[in-house]
Every structure is written in structure tokens, then in C-alpha cells.
């Protein structure tokens, strides 16, 4: 049944069982080839160059003519004959008045006033913010604008404000958005840039705060110093701030900040050496009794505090103690700070009024409405102008109680007034009708020399600011929050030869 395995038998009787689940794999060979890479060779040669030399002409020595020491007799006689004819004519030219007031025009004069820029901060245009203050920095390239509210008296303290700035020298000036915008906790009623540091600006707020901002610092860090909340500080809206410069014993400039508010206080501050609180160095007070001579007030009402609205320092040969102050009731006062009294430290007895010094020296004929603007002439120590809500401008002398001229533009309330930095007899007035009237006291009539339509929609113009570095530029801000930069004409900018004489004649006028 079984037998031995034989290889030959097995080979012939072999049986194969193919797998029912595994299939035979088939394979084949293939090949592929990429396209032939095309190559190209090129060569270049440098351009031919050439050298050339230039030589200036030889400098010829100056020709010197040897004149004879003694003129020939005929030449001397000719000069003598000419002198006899010229001397009477020259003498007549010295005494003649034929060319008085004549100014030689070496260039073509521009007679039109042009609005160069119309600036708006679009993010807040729908909030109803108004332009409450303007100020140019010391380089004359940046205009600072305070946007707040004048009309909503009951919510002054709760309204926030925006401090905007535009650099008008930028090649791509965005007139619809400020270059920088700093949010202030309270409405800003006063602005003034530092006279020497372009990035510093002083602000006075409606909550009584006085602050100095450094716009060169990063966002949120602009406040360099501010006044400390105290009974010695302001308790009413700050209406004006002004930088003054004094000199120490080594003749180095010392900058101080003067603030004025509705509480009748005039405070003098300095920047702190350490910390962020302004240092109070002097305190002055103007009370209701100080304006009794310029107002017909009873004794009881004269004891109330004087609501101060504006001030302007007189140009007094470098002395910065005399200033003129205006009040809510129309009073105009001549004030003198004199030697600065020492004030006890705020760390001492709080709640006291030690250190307050009365500064009012003299009262002038009052306005029939609140005084909204004052401007002392930068060209004469005794001349100043005042504007009021009674619609009148008073041209006055510090030495006379009555005004020298009374100008009534007939444009409703007047909100600001500014003296030209180059024309000694010219100033501008902002009106409630949206107009800016520019007056030239050298004209025969007191009609405006120019009228600018600053607000076509009739919004009141609240602020004016001449550019101290660029005499042609005048900035105006209105109730719609719009700021316009005007380029004045040559007739409003170029001084005339008789301007100084006209101003001195006004100052010397005696009012009956």
C-alpha cells in the first residue's frame, strides 16, 4: 500500500494543487524621460566710458587804477558846480512830506485772503463738540485744538473733551482726522503752548484742573503734571492759561504758568522737579470789591467773588507783572502781580487762604456784557483792546479809564480778539455770526479792513490764533468743531511806514 519515494516516479506522476485565494502577480518593466532642458548662453560687455577734465579760467588779478592825488583843475570845478545844484534839492528832500506813507512795493502784492486748510476730526463730528480753544506751538507748524462744549452749562463737568493737533507742514495732511487726539476727563476752556518747547502745552479744564501735557510721549502718558485737588487750587472753570518767563540770578530763563478762573483766583505754577503735581508758587485774588469802581454795585454785591473770563499781559520791556483781566459782568481791571509772594507748601495747613494777594489796581469803563477777549498790544506797553458779548470792541490805554475808540461790528456777540504779531495797528475779532472782522487802526474809518466768512453755515466763531512764526497764518475755530487756517494778504501782513506813529498817537490820545 505504501512504497518508497522515487524521484523519477514522482516527477512523472506529480500532482499540483493551485491556490484558490492567491493569484499570480504579474509585472512589467517601464521607463520615462523628462523633456530636454533648453539652455542658452549670452554675454554682455560694459558700456564704454570716457573721461573729461574741466579747468576754470585763470584768475585775473584785479585791475588797479592809480588815481592822481590831486584832481585836475577842470575836474574840481565840475564837481563844485554840481554840488551847488544838488545841495538845495537834497535839503528839500529832507523836509518834504510828499512821500509820507508811501511804501515801495518790490514784489507783486496779494490782495486776497485764502483759506488754506479746513480741519475736522471726523471721529467726533457727530457728537456736537465745539472748538473751545486754539494755540500754535512755538515752531508755528502745529495747531492744537480743544474740542468741548460751551452751550451745555449744567453738564460741563461730566462732558469729556478731545485735544487734537495737526501738523500743517506734513506733505500728506489728513484734514479729516487729527494727527494726535488726547481724551481729556473734562472740557478744556483754555490752551497755550510752551514758548520754547514744541511738544508741551498747558490746558485749563472746566473742573478747575490745570495740566501740562507732553505730546511727544506715548498714548496715555501725555500728562506731564497737573494741579493737585485743594482749596488753594481753582474751584471754578479755568478760563485762561498763559506762560510767562522770568530770569534767575544767573540770567537763566525760568518758565511759569499763570492760570485764571471763574473763582477770582490768579495762580502761578511751575513744573515739578519730581512727581507729577504742579508746584503752586504764587496766589492772587480779584474780588467783587475790586471792580466796584468800574461797576455801580452795592456794597453787599461787591463782596462776591469776581468771575474772571480772560486776561492779557502787557508788553513792558521784559517785565511780566502787569496784566489786564476781564470779568463776567463786563469789568476790565488793571492788575499788577509785583514781586511774587511766597506761598506755604500745600503739605501745610490745608483749607486756609494764606498767601492770597489782591492784584487789582485800577478799573476801566465796563462793557455792558461779559468780557470774552482781551489783547494787549505787543508793540506798545499801554494799548489794549477788549471784546464783549455786548457786541462792542474797546480800544483803550492803560493810563485812561475811558476807551479811546469804541467799535461796534454789528455782528452780535463777540467771542475772541487777537492782535497781529506783525502789524502794530491791526487786530481780528471773532463774531457770533460766523464772521471774522480784521481792523486796521491806521485807516481813516473804523470799518473792517477785511471780513472773512469763517463759517458759511452761520456757526459762531469762538477762537482765534495768529501764528507767531508765520505772520500770514490765522487759525479760527467755530461752534461746529471746524478749524480753518487762513493765509492773509500782503496788505494785512506787511507793516507800513506810519504804523508805529499811528499807534503812538492812539496811546497819547487824551480822553475827555
Amino acid at each position: 500500500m505504501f512504497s518508497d519515494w522515487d524521484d523519477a516516479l514522482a516527477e512523472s506522476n506529480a500532482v499540483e494543487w493551485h491556490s484558490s485565494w492567491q493569484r499570480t502577480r504579474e509585472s512589467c518593466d517601464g521607463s520615462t524621460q523628462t523633456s530636454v532642458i533648453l539652455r542658452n548662453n549670452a554675454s554682455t560687455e560694459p558700456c564704454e566710458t570716457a573721461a573729461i577734465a574741466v579747468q576754470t579760467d585763470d584768475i585775473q588779478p584785479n585791475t588797479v587804477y592809480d588815481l592822481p592825488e590831486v584832481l585836475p583843475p577842470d575836474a574840481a570845478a565840475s564837481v563844485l558846480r554840481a554840488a551847488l545844484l544838488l545841495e538845495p534839492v537834497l535839503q528839500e528832500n529832507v523836509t518834504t512830506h510828499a512821500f509820507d506813507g508811501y511804501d515801495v512795493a518790490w514784489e507783486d502784492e496779494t490782495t486776497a485772503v485764502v483759506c488754506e486748510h479746513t480741519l475736522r476730526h471726523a471721529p467726533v463730528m457727530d457728537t456736537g463738540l465745539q472748538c473751545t480753544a486754539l494755540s500754535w506751538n512755538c515752531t508755528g507748524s502745529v495747531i492744537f485744538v480743544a474740542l468741548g462744549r460751551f452751550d451745555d452749562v449744567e453738564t460741563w463737568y461730566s462732558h469729556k473733551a478731545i485735544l487734537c493737533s495737526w501738523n500743517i507742514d506734513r506733505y500728506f495732511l489728513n484734514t479729516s482726522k487729527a494727527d494726535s487726539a488726547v481724551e481729556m476727563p473734562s472740557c478744556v476752556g483754555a490752551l497755550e503752548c510752551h514758548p520754547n518747547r514744541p511738544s508741551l502745552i498747558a490746558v485749563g479744564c472746566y473742573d478747575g484742573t490745570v495740566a501740562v501735557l507732553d505730546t511727544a510721549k506715548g498714548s496715555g502718558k501725555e500728562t506731564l503734571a497737573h494741579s493737585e485737588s485743594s482749596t488753594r487750587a481753582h474751584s471754578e472753570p479755568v478760563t485762561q492759561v498763559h506762560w510767562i518767563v522770568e530770569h534767575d540770578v544767573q540770567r537763566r530763563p525760568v518758565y511759569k504758568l499763570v492760570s485764571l478762573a471763574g473763582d477770582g483766583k490768579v495762580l502761578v505754577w511751575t513744573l515739578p522737579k519730581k512727581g507729577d503735581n504742579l508746584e503752586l508758587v504764587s496766589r492772587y485774588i480779584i474780588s467783587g470789591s475790586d471792580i466796584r469802581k468800574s461797576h455801580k454795585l452795592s456794597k453787599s454785591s461787591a463782596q462776591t467773588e469776581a468771575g474772571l473770563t480772560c486776561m492779557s499781559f502787557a508788553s513792558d520791556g521784559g517785565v511780566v507783572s502787569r496784566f489786564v483781566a476781564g470779568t463776567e459782568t463786563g469789568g476790565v481791571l488793571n492788575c499788577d502781580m509785583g514781586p511774587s509772594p511766597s506761598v506755604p507748601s500745600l503739605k501745610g495747613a490745608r483749607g486756609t487762604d494764606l498767601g492770597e494777594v489782591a492784584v487789582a489796581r485800577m478799573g476801566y469803563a465796563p462793557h455792558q456784557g461779559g468780557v470774552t477777549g482781551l489783547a494787549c498790544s505787543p508793540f506798545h506797553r499801554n494799548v489794549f483792546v477788549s471784546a464783549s458779548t455786548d457786541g462792542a470792541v474797546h480800544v483803550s490805554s492803560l493810563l485812561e479809564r475811558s476807551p479811546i475808540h469804541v467799535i461796534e461790528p454789528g455782528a452780535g456777540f463777540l467771542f475772541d480778539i487777537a492782535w497781529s504779531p506783525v502789524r502794530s495797528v491791526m487786530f481780528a475779532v471773532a463774531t457770533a455770526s460766523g464772521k471774522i472782522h480784521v481792523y486796521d487802526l491806521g485807516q481813516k474809518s473804523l470799518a473792517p479792513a477785511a471780513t472773512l466768512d469763517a463759517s458759511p453755515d452761520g456757526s459762531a466763531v469762538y477762537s482765534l490764533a495768529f501764528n507767531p512764526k508765520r505772520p500770514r497764518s490765522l487759525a479760527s475755530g467755530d461752534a461746529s468743531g471746524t478749524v480753518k487756517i487762513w493765509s492773509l494778504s500782503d496788505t494785512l501782513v506787511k507793516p507800513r511806514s506810519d504804523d508805529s506813529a499811528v499807534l503812538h498817537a492812539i496811546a497819547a490820545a487824551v480822553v475827555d
Side-chain angles (χ1 to χ4, degrees), residues 136-455:
W136 292 95
N137 75 339
C138 62
T139 64
S141 60
V142 178
I143 180 70
F144 285 89
V145 181
L147 298 177
R149 298 296 293 269
F150 269 138
D151 51 359
D152 198 352
V153 179
E154 295 181 356
T155 57
W156 273 353
Y157 292 93
S158 60
H159 268 302
K160 292 184 178 181
I162 305 293
L163 179 60
C164 302
S165 66
W166 280 270
N167 188 336
I168 62 173
D169 285 343
R170 284 197 172 187
Y171 186 75
F172 296 104
L173 176 64
N174 188 349
T175 58
S176 299
K177 186 177 181 181
D179 298 335
S180 67
V182 181
E183 186 173 331
M184 304 296 295
S186 175
C187 282
V188 175
L191 283 181
E192 184 161 313
C193 293
H194 193 278
N196 191 40
R197 298 174 62 179
S199 63
L200 291 192
I201 182 167
V203 299
C205 301
Y206 286 178
D207 62 359
T209 302
V210 179
V212 177
L213 277 62
D214 188 351
T215 57
K217 293 188 175 182
S219 177
K221 302 178 181 178
E222 295 88 357
T223 302
L224 182 65
H226 59 84
S227 59
E228 187 179 5
S229 179
S230 166
T231 56
R232 297 177 180 274
H234 292 298
S235 58
E236 294 289 336
V238 179
T239 53
Q240 192 157 354
V241 290
H242 179 68
W243 291 98
I244 61 174
V245 58
E246 298 177 350
H247 293 84
D248 58 15
V249 293
Q250 298 180 355
R251 303 300 299 168
R252 293 176 300 185
V254 178
Y255 294 97
K256 297 180 179 180
L257 180 63
V258 181
S259 62
L260 180 117
D263 55 8
K265 296 178 183 178
V266 180
L267 305 181
V268 183
W269 313 83
T270 58
L271 291 173
K273 297 180 180 179
K274 294 182 180 179
D276 57 358
N277 289 329
L278 289 172
E279 297 180 1
L280 182 60
V281 295
S282 300
R283 301 177 69 236
Y284 304 94
I285 188 69
I286 298 177
S287 64
S289 60
D290 294 325
I291 61 175
R292 183 156 43 91
K293 291 183 179 180
S294 60
H295 289 71
K296 296 180 180 180
L297 299 176
S298 62
K299 292 184 178 180
S300 58
S301 60
Q303 299 302 320
T304 59
E305 63 185 17
L308 303 180
T309 56
C310 52
M311 67 178 173
S312 181
F313 278 80
S315 175
D316 202 1
V319 180
V320 288
S321 62
R322 291 197 310 161
F323 66 94
V324 185
T327 70
E328 296 174 347
T329 56
V332 181
L333 302 173
N334 184 340
C335 305
D336 193 343
M337 294 190 299
S340 299
S342 176
V343 178
S345 173
L346 292 180
K347 297 181 180 179
R350 293 179 179 267
T352 62
D353 290 331
L354 294 177
E356 288 186 350
V357 177
V359 292
R361 301 290 183 264
M362 174 181 174
Y364 299 99
H367 285 273
Q368 300 304 311
V371 180
T372 54
L374 284 166
C376 288
S377 169
F379 304 94
H380 198 284
R381 59 182 296 179
N382 291 329
V383 179
F384 71 95
V385 290
S386 58
S388 170
T389 56
D390 63 2
V393 175
H394 288 186
V395 181
S396 306
S397 169
L398 291 175
L399 306 179
E400 294 285 339
R401 292 186 179 274
S402 299
I404 300 171
H405 296 298
V406 177
I407 304 173
E408 296 182 352
F413 292 170
L414 306 181
F415 289 110
D416 200 5
I417 193 166
W419 205 292
S420 169
V422 290
R423 287 288 310 280
S424 60
V425 292
M426 194 185 80
F427 59 87
V429 183
T431 71
S433 63
K435 309 289 185 182
I436 300 174
H437 295 305
V438 182
Y439 289 92
D440 185 351
L441 297 177
Q443 292 183 341
K444 294 182 179 180
S445 68
L446 294 179
T451 298
L452 314 181
D453 190 4
S455 184

